[in-house]
Amino acid sequence: MKLDDVDGLRIATFGSGPRRIVAVHGITASLMAWNAVARRLPQGWSLVAMDLRGRGHSRDLPGPYGLARHAEDVLRVAEHVGAGSDSVLAGHSMGAYVAVLAGARRRFGKVVLVDGGLPLPHWRRAPTWTRRSRRLSAPRSPD
């Protein structure tokens, strides 16, 4: 594993192959969340994982810490490591939402979403838990 910093963002490169995976961790994780995946990389691949702004070794970077800012940081890291249009962008949990935003702004060969990445509802329009639970409750049986 090779460590580096890109504008204060900590990145780790696992493997040395020319084909790249740029990996984005979930909300409470760090770049080390991708360690198990990195250990199983096939020949010819490398995985570049980053600590998102405000987390891990990037925790001291100033905000804002929203999804859009994280996507900007991912794009900066992808450019820094030379991730071409044949590269894979992978995101886990909150990182999947970040990957969707980053993938919409730059061409990647593939975008892999693990346990996240679906559209987020607009918070003001999102149903409260009470209303949602009523809709999800079991249907009444006909008398």
Side-chain angles (χ1 to χ4, degrees):
M1 174 176 66
K2 177 185 159 212
L3 296 175
D4 194 7
D5 285 321
V6 177
D7 298 331
L9 295 162
R10 172 62 57 93
I11 66 171
T13 303
F14 301 87
S16 59
R19 299 191 68 193
R20 298 221 191 305
I21 302 168
V22 177
V24 187
H25 64 75
I27 193 167
T28 61
S30 73
L31 61 81
M32 292 307 294
W34 292 98
N35 191 31
V37 174
R39 286 195 313 263
R40 291 168 178 79
L41 285 175
Q43 191 78 14
W45 284 86
S46 61
L47 184 142
V48 178
M50 60 183 287
D51 278 338
L52 290 172
R53 179 178 297 269
R55 291 161 180 81
H57 288 281
S58 303
R59 69 183 163 270
D60 294 331
L61 286 175
Y65 301 112
L67 297 176
R69 183 67 178 269
H70 291 320
E72 290 173 16
D73 290 341
V74 168
L75 294 173
R76 190 166 18 304
V77 167
E79 185 174 326
H80 176 81
V81 300
S85 61
D86 61 339
S87 297
V88 175
L89 175 60
H92 173 252
S93 191
M94 182 196 75
Y97 294 96
V98 174
V100 166
L101 293 175
R105 294 180 50 198
R106 180 187 187 277
R107 182 165 176 77
F108 288 89
K110 292 181 176 29
V111 177
V112 178
L113 309 176
V114 181
D115 197 23
L118 298 174
L120 290 170
H122 189 280
W123 294 112
R124 291 187 183 141
R125 293 186 192 151
T128 64
W129 175 249
T130 304
R131 284 184 287 182
R132 184 172 289 162
S133 65
R134 278 189 213 133
R135 281 188 281 158
L136 296 175
S137 60
R140 294 184 185 150
S141 61
D143 291 327

